[in-house]
Amino acid sequence: MGALSSMAISCLHSLSHKESCFLSYKTSQISKPLFINSSLNKPRFSISFCLKQSDRNERQIQQESVIEEDNEEEEEDYWVVTAVRSRYNEIVIVDTAASRYLLLDSTKNVHSVINKGGQNWTGSYWDEFASLPPIIPNGPIAIYGLGGGTAARLILELWPSTQLEGYEIDGILIEKARYYLGLSELEKPTSKGGSLRVHVDDALFPSQDVSGRYAGIIVDLFADGKVLDQLQEVPIWLDLASRLMPNGRIMVNCAGIEEEKVAANGKPQLVFGDSVWMLNSTIKILSEAFPGQVSWKRTPDSEGLNFVALTGGLPDLSDWSSKVPVRLSETVKLWKLCENP
């Protein structure tokens, strides 16, 4: 389950006998998914709700207003189309006129977005994952943290012969994503023979032997708004690397700068430019696991200020740029090798 953004939503009307709930949000805060880090001093919103048992195990949402005032900004409408608690998550799927969002756990962070009208570009870190196929061998790509399939959808649009294998530990999440987020459509073969195979399994400890299986692995594993704790250990990354074919690569959503890294011991750490990656603990542990073989980039503020990392050394950026869609051709040139100051 990946995470990127905190969504500004407040529940204004409770419908005790329906799954839908009218919501209001501030347009400028969630016109697209953004990673909101507390250190950026941006407004942060959440949905407050109560879980109740019913015959369908669906959530009945109680009224709770958590709007932060900004009278100059236009308000639009949101609806909760379904909400349920699973063993692993508090799952909420929210609808707007333009998009549908998957929110998970107590943070209410956005883990997937599906745009209506056939536009699969998100303007966020999911788009970065779609740049991976040209720099890896021919072979299947695993997505660890499939969520609602946002990255898979764009990859299959751009690279329709790709064989994707998506791992998601939460079977109820997959059930909801199939029904409400169109995940089932991605499981059908494309015109070029590509498709998504879904595994309801623990990506870090799969029930099957996957040694040497994948040309690439996309890692987008989050819980409670942060990268999984297990991914802060070198042995886990070495195990993931063992699942790659020769010359395979891992691309990772590493989130942003942790607040405690910005102000360690009460004093801000002034690290900028090519060394700013050192403020991200996930990239640091990757660099320890694969010395000299990790590259990084940071998405712009408008796209969420997420760090993404790539194993296998820095690709030929000009060649890579020429092989991706125009929308990605300039952004791939921003990758840099992790180098200690």
Side-chain angles (χ1 to χ4, degrees), residues 4 9 15 53 85 87 101 132 134 142 171 199 201 205 239 268 270 272 301 306-307 337:
L4 187 259
I9 310 174
L15 303 180
Q53 294 297 322
R85 173 182 284 170
R87 174 184 174 186
Y101 297 89
L132 182 61
H199 301 265
D201 204 351
F205 304 99
D239 177 69
L270 300 178
F272 302 104
D301 189 11
N306 266 45
F307 285 96
L337 194 66

Side-chain angles (χ1 to χ4, degrees), residues 180-227:
Y180 291 105
L181 299 173
L183 186 65
S184 58
E185 293 299 310
L186 304 182
E187 297 177 89
K188 301 175 182 178
T190 69
S191 60
K192 301 293 185 179
S195 67
L196 169 68
R197 180 185 177 193
V198 176
H199 301 265
V200 179
D201 204 351
D202 185 340
L204 298 183
F205 304 99
S207 57
Q208 58 181 317
D209 182 8
V210 290
S211 299
R213 176 172 176 78
Y214 298 116
I217 298 174
I218 292 168
V219 178
D220 195 15
L221 293 169
F222 280 71
D224 297 320
K226 62 181 182 179
V227 177

Side-chain angles (χ1 to χ4, degrees), residues 34-93:
L34 298 177
F35 178 84
I36 304 298
N37 186 288
S38 58
S39 65
L40 301 179
N41 296 319
K42 294 184 179 180
R44 188 178 182 96
F45 299 78
S46 64
I47 298 176
S48 294
F49 59 89
C50 295
L51 288 176
K52 293 184 177 181
Q53 294 297 322
S54 69
D55 291 342
R56 301 174 62 192
N57 197 33
E58 294 288 346
R59 176 163 33 197
Q60 297 178 346
I61 302 181
Q62 295 186 339
Q63 184 177 20
E64 178 79 20
S65 177
V66 290
I67 299 176
E68 293 192 9
E69 295 296 333
D70 189 343
N71 295 328
E72 296 182 357
E73 294 178 355
E74 180 183 358
E75 291 187 359
E76 296 183 6
D77 296 341
Y78 263 73
W79 295 266
V80 171
V81 295
T82 189
V84 63
R85 173 182 284 170
S86 72
R87 174 184 174 186
Y88 300 98
N89 283 299
E90 296 167 357
I91 302 166
V92 182
I93 295 177

Side-chain angles (χ1 to χ4, degrees), residues 257 261 268-279 341:
I257 297 175
K261 299 294 183 182
Q269 293 187 25
L270 300 178
V271 181
F272 302 104
D274 291 351
S275 298
V276 70
W277 63 268
M278 297 186 70
L279 296 180

Side-chain angles (χ1 to χ4, degrees), residues 22-42:
F22 174 85
L23 299 126
S24 172
Y25 80 98
K26 298 294 187 180
T27 304
S28 67
Q29 296 305 321
I30 44 174
S31 57
K32 54 187 173 183
L34 298 177
F35 178 84
I36 304 298
N37 186 288
S38 58
S39 65
L40 301 179
N41 296 319
K42 294 184 179 180

Side-chain angles (χ1 to χ4, degrees), residues 140-178:
I141 297 174
I143 301 177
Y144 290 169
L146 179 63
T150 298
R153 186 177 300 276
L154 182 58
I155 291 171
L156 287 174
E157 176 190 335
L158 300 178
W159 317 102
S161 64
T162 306
Q163 301 295 324
L164 295 176
E165 297 193 14
Y167 284 77
E168 177 57 58
I169 199 170
D170 193 335
I172 293 178
L173 190 160
I174 291 297
E175 173 190 333
K176 297 299 179 183
R178 283 173 172 151

Side-chain angles (χ1 to χ4, degrees), residues 4-17:
L4 187 259
S5 41
S6 182
M7 177 167 283
I9 310 174
S10 63
C11 182
L12 302 181
H13 298 283
S14 177
L15 303 180
S16 60
H17 300 294

